Amino acid sequence: MSRHANDRSAIAALVRPTEVHRDIYIDEDVFQLEMKHLFANCWVFVGHDSQTPNKGDYFTTEIGTQPVIMVRHSDDEIYVLHNRCPHKGTKIAIDRAGNTGKFFRCPYHAWSFKTNGCLLAIPLRKGYKDTGLEESESVKGMAPVGAVKNYRGFVFARLAPEGVSFEDFFGSSLSSIDNMVDRSPAGRLEVAGPPLRYMHRCNWKMLVENQTDTCHPMVAHESSAGTAIKLWEEMEKPEGTKKPMAMEVIAPFMSSYEFFENMGIRTWPNGHGHTGVHHSIHSDYSAIPGYFEQMCEAYGEDRAREILGENRHNTVYFPNIMIKGPIQQLRLFKPISANKTLVESYIYRLVDAPDMLLQRTAMYNRLINAPTSMVGHDDLEMYERAQEGLHSDGLEWVNVQRLYQPGESFEQEAIENGTTERQMRNQFDAWTKYMTMTMDEAAQ
Amino acid sequence: MSAPSKDDLIDFIYEEARMLDDGRFDEWLDLWTPDGIYWMPLEYNQQDENLVTSLLHEDFFMIKLRVERFKGERTFSQKPKTRCHHVIQRPFVDRLDVDAGEFVTRTAFHYVETRLDDQTLLAANARHDLVLVDGKLKIKRKRVDLLNSDAAFGNIQMFL
Ligand code: FES
Ligand SMILES: [Fe+2]
C-alpha cells in the first residue's frame, strides 16, 4: 500500500503551522491525490475567452492533469468539456487551438457532438437499437466539467460537480483581475499571441510559493539584475540618457529588503494573496504618452487615478496561477508530476490602449519568463536544486515560518509586512482544506 | 576588406559558430554593430517583433549583459558552466550587394547544449544580416528560428 492513501488525517498531518513535510513536494502518491481532490475541488483557471472569440473556436489545455477543451458554443457561451470521446476515449482535439464549426467529430468512428458536448449523431446508429445505449454513460456525449465561470474574460472551472461557489472561493481577491481589466479604457483584454512554455523539473507548488517570495530576488537574481545595474552604471553614455525599457524591467529585482518589507503582502481566504500593497517593482515604469488621457476619457480622472494607482505586483490565485495587473500578464503553473511542472506565461493587450504598453508587457515576458531568460535561469536553478535537495533524508520538513504569528488565522483578509511568508502558509491552509474535504478518514 | 566575397561571408558564419563553441564571448561581442539585434521568435514564421512574445529580442546591451552574467561569481545557473556545440550546414548567401553594403546569409544548424548530466539538442535556421564597418563584417541582425520554437523547453542558456 502506498505511503499516503486516501486518508484525511495523514494528509492533514503533512502541514504544520510553520513547516510542511517534504512529501508534499516529492511524493507521487500525494501528487495523485492533489489531482484527484485539490484540483477537482478548487476553481482552476482554464483560459481567456479572447482565445476563442468566434463560435466553434476551441482551445485545448489541462485542469491539473485532466485534458479539457474550452469552446465557444452557438449560444456564444464558453463551455469546458473533457477532451475524451465517450465512445472509446480518443482525444477529440489535439491541436492547441482551432475552429470546429458547428460540431466536434471524433476522428476514430465519427461520433459527433454539439459544441456544448451533447451527442449529435452516431454513424450506423441502428447497430445500437435495443442495446440499451440510452442507459449508457456514452450517450450523454462529451462530459462537461463540474462548473464553469467566465469572469471578465477569464474562464475558470471546477471539475467537481458539487462544491464551493466561484464567488465564495475567490471573494474580494477578484479585485486584482478587476484592476487588470480596468486598465483597458474599453474594460477588456485580449490575449496577445501564444504563451511562453517553460518546463521545470520541480513541484508546481515551489513556483506558486515563489510568486510571493520577496526575500529571494536580491539574492538569486543578483547575477542578472545586479549585473545589469553594474553594466549600465559603467557604460559610457551622454549625461541624462534615459534608462532603456529593459533596464526599467530588470533593475528593480535588486531592490533592498526594506523596499520589499514596505511593499506589503495581502492575503485573502482560500489561499489567494498578493505582494505590492503599497508599491511594487512595477511602480516606477515610465508613463506611456496618451494613455492617462485615454483612461481619464473612459473613466473620469478620479477613477482613472485610482485604477492606475494600484501597483499590485504578483497576485496568486490558488491553486495555480499568478497575475500581474500592471503589466497584464498571467502565469499558469501546470502540474505534470510531483517533480515536473510546465509554466505557461500569457500576455494580454489592453483594448484601446497604446501599443507601447503591450510592447513593454511582451518585453517583460521574454526577459523574465522565457526558457531563454536570465531571470528564469536564476529561478529554475533554485527550484531544481530544492527538488533534488528534498530527497535528502537529513531533514524532513520545509520551513515557512518568517513573520509567523502564533495562532494566526486565514479566514480574514490581512495586510502584513512584505517579507512575511504568511501567503505561503495561507496557501497550505487552503491546500489542506481543498485536499481533504472530499477524503475519508482511514479505515480503522 | 572592401567587397566581401561569397567565401568571406561563409567563413564569417563558421568563425562565429566556432567562437561560441570555444566560449570566446568577448571576441563574439566584437562581431556586433552597436545597434545589433538578436532575435529568436516564439512562433513559427513570426512576423511581429514587439507586440507578441519572443524567446529573445535583445539589443547589444542585453547581449553584453548575458556575457557579463556568465562570468559572475554568483551566477549559480552557470556553476558549473554550460557548454555548447554548433554543427552548421554550409550557409546560403541570399544577398551579396556590395553597393548597398548589405549581405544576408541563411544557415541551417544543429545546436547542442550540455550541463551536468543534461544535454539538449535543437535544430534551427539562422538568418544573418551583415554590414561592413571599417572594412570588417559585422552582425546587424541575427534571427534564429528554432524548428520547434513552440515546444516547451527547459533552460536554454547559451547563444545559438
Ligand atoms: S472513439 Fe470516438 S467515435 Fe469511436
Ligand atoms: Fe525569482
Side-chain angles (χ1 to χ4, degrees), chain A residues 210 216-217 220-221 253 375 379 383:
Chain A
N210 177 265
H216 88 281
H221 300 303
F253 282 72
V375 172
D379 281 324
Y383 305 141

Side-chain angles (χ1 to χ4, degrees), chain A residues 25-26 201-211 213 333 338 341 382-390 398 427-428:
Chain A
Y25 302 94
I26 65 174
R201 284 179 308 192
C202 68
N203 188 272
W204 64 276
K205 293 185 291 304
M206 284 188 188
L207 279 142
V208 184
E209 283 157 42
N210 177 265
Q211 305 311 308
D213 182 327
F333 309 107
T341 305
M382 298 309 136
Y383 305 141
E384 293 189 346
R385 287 191 192 203
Q387 191 72 24
E388 289 180 23
L390 287 178
V398 172
Q427 284 159 205
F428 281 111

Side-chain angles (χ1 to χ4, degrees), chain A residues 58-78:
Chain A
Y58 66 87
F59 161 69
T60 61
T61 182
E62 289 83 26
I63 298 175
T65 47
Q66 291 294 300
V68 296
I69 305 182
M70 176 176 114
V71 58
R72 193 177 287 264
H73 185 51
S74 52
D75 61 2
D76 223 21
E77 293 297 313
I78 304 286

Side-chain angles (χ1 to χ4, degrees), chain A residues 125-187:
Chain A
R125 190 163 186 153
K126 63 181 183 212
Y128 292 101
K129 194 164 175 288
D130 303 328
T131 63
L133 182 72
E134 300 67 34
E135 313 303 320
S136 74
E137 205 178 38
S138 306
V139 81
K140 295 193 195 117
M142 293 167 67
V145 298
V148 178
K149 172 79 182 183
N150 181 348
Y151 185 79
R152 304 196 69 181
F154 291 86
V155 178
F156 291 82
R158 193 189 61 219
L159 290 172
E162 308 287 330
V164 60
S165 72
F166 179 85
E167 289 71 20
D168 287 346
F169 186 69
F170 287 117
S172 42
S173 74
L174 292 171
S175 53
S176 283
I177 290 182
D178 287 337
N179 182 255
M180 178 152 85
V181 180
D182 288 345
R183 284 168 180 265
S184 151

Side-chain angles (χ1 to χ4, degrees), chain A residues 84-92 105-113 121-123 128:
Chain A
R84 182 233 196 253
C85 181
H87 182 210
K88 296 206 191 297
T90 309
K91 269 188 170 180
I92 297 294
R105 178 177 180 274
C106 177
Y108 202 175
H109 314 95
W111 286 28
S112 57
F113 313 93
I122 298 177
Y128 292 101

